[in-house]
Amino acid sequence: MPAMTAPYVKNSIKRCFLELVDRSPTQADRISLWRHFDSTCAYCGRPLARNARQAHVDHLIPVAQGGTNAAGNRVLSCADCNEEKRDQSWDTFLRQKSGSDTVFMTRREKIYEWQRLRSIPDNSRLLSLRENAIAKATEVIELFDQKVEELRRLGEK
């Protein structure tokens, strides 16, 4: 566990508020994800082991680009593909990793099938909820800063 610094706590507060409105996949979702993708990377097909650091639950559309944390926006990915994909759209990246049109279409259909099984929330409503969560987290962080300052002043006396 990282050191409990003030910046770490502030980041945790923000993440907790966002998690309340944009939930990450549950353990059951993760188990289903592993089964659906047959313990292989959705992009390159590499076999993955559950207990190894090589496996990631990757966002198809990153949250920073308007994606959600919902299970339907996640796929099983190897660490290399997760790192390489970066700012590319998932389907462009998938085409690069597939090697042939047949492999691309098969892997893309597997992803679409996963998305059909796991719904993705309405994005406009979610964006509003996320904005509200960030606003509320900011209020809590401001109060946190005030209380930290009070404690520091008490410590100086």
Side-chain angles (χ1 to χ4, degrees):
M1 176 177 224
M4 279 294 174
T5 63
Y8 179 83
V9 171
K10 291 177 188 182
N11 186 48
S12 295
I13 290 169
K14 182 179 175 184
R15 291 174 63 119
C16 287
F17 272 76
L18 287 170
E19 182 67 24
L20 291 170
V21 298
D22 185 14
R23 289 236 183 268
S24 295
T26 64
Q27 185 63 24
D29 289 330
R30 290 176 184 274
I31 291 167
S32 294
L33 184 79
W34 276 88
R35 285 186 185 134
H36 183 81
F37 288 99
D38 302 317
S39 299
T40 62
C41 176
Y43 302 117
C44 72
R46 175 181 172 189
L48 300 170
R50 287 185 195 207
N51 57 354
R53 291 190 173 270
Q54 67 187 24
H56 293 219
V57 178
D58 183 36
H59 290 88
L60 287 168
I61 302 169
V63 171
Q65 294 175 8
T68 73
N69 283 320
N73 188 42
R74 301 292 191 96
V75 294
L76 192 57
S77 172
C78 68
D80 293 338
C81 284
N82 192 24
E83 180 67 25
E84 284 177 48
K85 185 174 133 260
R86 296 266 173 175
D87 295 330
Q88 298 177 64
S89 68
W90 69 265
D91 53 340
T92 299
F93 181 71
L94 179 63
R95 184 170 291 284
Q96 291 171 8
K97 298 304 277 188
S98 295
S100 74
D101 286 344
T102 303
V103 171
F104 168 73
M105 291 180 354
T106 301
R107 289 181 183 161
R108 184 178 63 177
E109 182 52 37
K110 189 92 167 167
I111 292 170
Y112 284 152
E113 181 183 330
W114 174 251
Q115 289 180 317
R116 285 190 294 273
L117 292 170
R118 298 286 193 261
S119 65
I120 298 174
D122 172 38
N123 227 13
S124 60
R125 183 170 185 278
L126 181 60
L127 287 174
S128 174
L129 287 170
R130 287 180 60 83
E131 287 172 6
N132 281 309
I134 290 170
K136 295 300 179 190
T138 301
E139 290 175 25
V140 170
I141 289 167
E142 288 170 1
L143 182 59
F144 172 80
D145 283 338
Q146 291 171 11
K147 297 303 177 184
V148 166
E149 191 57 39
E150 286 176 24
L151 282 172
R152 287 185 178 143
R153 281 195 301 265
L154 285 173
E156 293 172 357
K157 292 182 181 179

